[in-house]
């Protein structure tokens, strides 16, 4: 029997593409998308959809019971930059939604959970280059604190109650479908949109700020493979380090310039610079590679090619749309 899946936060940057992928694998009717509102109409109209506030335990529980859900992907969260503006809201959403699904698994309503962690669990006292799986984690953002604490609770629920919860420390994710919202790594998406629309971009991080990043296709592949891996291969029940590429604003700018030679950039660091400065520049993900065979496909130039091709198609579609 095919798995019945609920995706919470399905209208977000990762949720949108994860929903499509999981529906390809499991069938449209076996993947229930949910979000707090219907902001992504393409997604809402593409299969079963429910409005769910991730902070509402009963709403999640009722949905799981109504659809016989066995697996939940909890993608709803407030990210790093928004979390600094609304610290209590970030704590409330990021922690309570996690407890809700962990407790549903503990109580036997669901069997399996995917919950994303982040490179934000690391802080200024973490080794910056090739950050190991097991290392000092003293995050300085509210978002990072919620992810670090969440990792501890995931491991606790696995050890104590045998909950099958799996997690990845996502780096910055670059994609051309749904926009990211409220993150520090968002510049690496915005830059492509502005390159195509305006030919110029004002970057909110300084030119040599190196951060770990990944193209969406790799992030989705990792998520699916981690969830498909046999339980005995999953030795980390907090969250796996995961890496693909690391680059600076200057390097992504140069990669885009190969396609758009007149593209220009200026740098105007804001409060997000301090967040970026507290995070690693590159990640050692050898444990994920060893445990469940993780391999990435996209380097910077391959990603740039894919981003530009797809965004140009979107611009053409909009231009040819009669109003
Ligand atoms: N992309 C996230 C952020 O910038 C990091 O997980 O907040």
């Amino acid at each position: 029997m095919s798995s019945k899946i609920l995706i919470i936060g399905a209208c977000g940057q990762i949720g949108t593409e994860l929903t499509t992928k999981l529906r390809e694998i499991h069938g449209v009717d076996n993947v229930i998308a949910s979000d707090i509102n219907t902001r992504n109409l393409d997604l809402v109209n593409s299969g079963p959809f429910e409005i769910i506030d991730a902070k509402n335990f009963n709403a999640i529980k009722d949905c799981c019971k109504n659809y016989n859900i066995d697996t939940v992907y909890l993608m709803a969260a407030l990210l790093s930059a928004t979390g600094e503006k609304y610290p209590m809201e970030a704590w409330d959403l990021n922690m309570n939604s996690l407890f809700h699904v962990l407790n549903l698994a503990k109580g036997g309503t669901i069997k399996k959970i995917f919950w994303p962690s982040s490179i934000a669990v690391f802080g200024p006292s973490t080794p910056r280059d090739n950050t190991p799986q097991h290392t000092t984690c003293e995050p300085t953002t509210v978002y990072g604190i919620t992810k670090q604490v969440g990792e501890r609770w995931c491991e606790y629920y696995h050890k104590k109650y045998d909950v099958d919860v799996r997690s990845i420390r996502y780096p910055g994710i670059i994609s051309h479908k749904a926009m990211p919202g409220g993150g520090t790594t968002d510049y690496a998406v915005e830059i492509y949109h502005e390159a195509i629309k305006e030919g110029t971009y004002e970057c909110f991080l300084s030119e040599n700020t190196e951060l770990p990043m990944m193209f969406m296709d790799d992030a989705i592949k990792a998520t699916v493979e981690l969830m498909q891996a046999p339980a005995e291969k999953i030795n980390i029940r907090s969250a796996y380090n995961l890496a693909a590429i690391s680059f600076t604003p200057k390097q992504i700018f140069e990669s885009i310039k190969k396609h758009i030679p007149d593209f220009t950039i200026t740098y105007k660091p804001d409060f997000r610079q301090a967040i970026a400065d507290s995070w690693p520049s590159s990640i050692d993900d050898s444990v994920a590679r060893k445990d469940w065979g993780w391999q990435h496909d996209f380097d910077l130039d391959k990603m740039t090619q894919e981003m530009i091709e797809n965004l140009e198609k979107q611009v053409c579609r909009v231009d040819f749309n009669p109003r």
Side-chain angles (χ1 to χ4, degrees), residues 13 79-81 117-120 143 170-173 182-186 279:
Q13 187 199 11
L79 298 189
S80 60
S117 185
S118 161
I119 53 163
Y143 175 64
Y170 285 133
I173 310 287
T184 301
T185 56
D186 294 6
W279 289 350

Side-chain angles (χ1 to χ4, degrees), residues 21 109 111 117 119 152 154 161 196 219 243 272 286 312 322:
K21 186 60 177 183
T109 305
K111 293 195 170 57
S117 185
I119 53 163
R152 297 287 89 230
C154 288
Y161 310 120
I196 287 169
R272 289 168 282 193
S286 48
E312 276 176 346

